[in-house]
Amino acid sequence: MLDLLLLILSIAYFCGLIALGQNTSLGSDLIDWAMAHFSSLARFGFLAPAIVPVGSAVLFHTVDKSPQLVPRLFLKMNLVTMFTGLGATAFLLITEQDPVPISTMFAFGAIPFLPLWILHHGMVGNRITYTHAWIVLVALFCNVALITFLMAQGWVPR
């Protein structure tokens, strides 16, 4: 029953991210903020289509095969959100639409799952190890790679 509830909440979260990207300027504002503070990263945006899938696939395999990382729901949600953002970017580029508002919401929307995963580990009484820190760093690196790709796609100097 809990899994069904979490699945419904995750679908609602994805729909909320899409609605925020379509109906508000929050996605564009987040990219503008990222470019204002981290504009040098945009030069590496062309690497993201390779970094995100490969890094995420390695992360999925590690998460799936590592029993010490249980519970892993929030980490999997981070990865699914990141893959959805990459897929949305590819789909919107193919259909010649601006991918920045919606995909930015997915890229930034995936990041809160990482601290929630660590917090969840602590709440259920599991010991947090260096493995957890490395997993969070790799996932965060993949998230930032997707953000840099969007920065390279969508930022126009004003």
Side-chain angles (χ1 to χ4, degrees), residues 40-124:
S40 61
L41 290 177
R43 286 184 247 147
F44 301 106
F46 70 94
L47 296 173
I51 290 173
V52 173
V54 171
S56 298
V58 168
L59 209 51
F60 261 130
H61 178 73
T62 304
V63 167
D64 193 40
K65 301 296 181 191
S66 300
Q68 74 269 20
L69 298 178
V70 172
R72 40 189 168 230
L73 173 73
F74 288 116
L75 186 60
K76 286 183 179 180
M77 284 304 300
N78 172 279
L79 293 170
V80 168
T81 306
M82 192 171 37
F83 270 135
T84 306
L86 189 63
T89 303
F91 175 76
L92 291 171
L93 284 174
I94 289 171
T95 60
E96 296 180 1
Q97 297 177 20
D98 184 19
V100 173
I102 295 173
S103 299
T104 301
M105 292 307 301
F106 278 110
F108 279 96
I111 294 173
F113 288 114
L114 298 175
L116 286 173
W117 177 61
I118 295 293
L119 181 67
H120 190 201
H121 267 280
M123 288 176 63
V124 296

Side-chain angles (χ1 to χ4, degrees), residues 24-43:
T24 67
S25 64
L26 186 58
S28 300
D29 293 343
L30 285 171
I31 279 295
D32 288 343
W33 174 83
M35 280 306 293
H37 293 90
F38 308 105
S39 60
S40 61
L41 290 177
R43 286 184 247 147

